[in-house]
Amino acid sequence: RSAGAPRLFFVIPKREFSKSAERNRIKRRFRAALRPVLERGKSSYTVFVKKGVLETPFSEIKEAARNQR
């Protein structure tokens, strides 16, 4: 990570996603969806993950990320 690069934080409750493979999959999906947003240069994002996100199609996640400022 270079100085000044955008940072991405995830809040994923272990109660709802007990397996680390699930949590890692969520992080990979969100990093991929937010990549274009991070390139815009905002300093940081925090993603709060709720139950049901694994069933959400990637296209919906990507569209929601695109609409972020």
Side-chain angles (χ1 to χ4, degrees), residues 21-22 34 38 44 66:
E22 292 176 334
L34 288 167
L38 292 173
S44 66
R66 192 176 313 149

Side-chain angles (χ1 to χ4, degrees), residues 5 7 11-12 21-22 25 28 32 36 39 42 45-46 49 51 58:
R7 298 183 341 173
V11 178
I12 306 173
E22 292 176 334
R25 181 173 177 224
R28 285 193 307 271
E39 291 172 356
K42 186 175 176 187
Y45 283 93
T46 303
V49 180
K51 197 171 188 175
F58 182 71

Side-chain angles (χ1 to χ4, degrees), residues 1 4 6 8-9 13 15 20-21 28-30 33-35 37 42 47 51 56 66 69:
R1 176 173 120 66
L8 187 57
F9 302 97
R15 283 185 182 163
S20 61
R28 285 193 307 271
R29 292 178 84 196
F30 274 94
L34 288 167
R35 191 166 291 125
V37 177
K42 186 175 176 187
V47 178
K51 197 171 188 175
T56 305
R66 192 176 313 149
R69 297 181 215 153

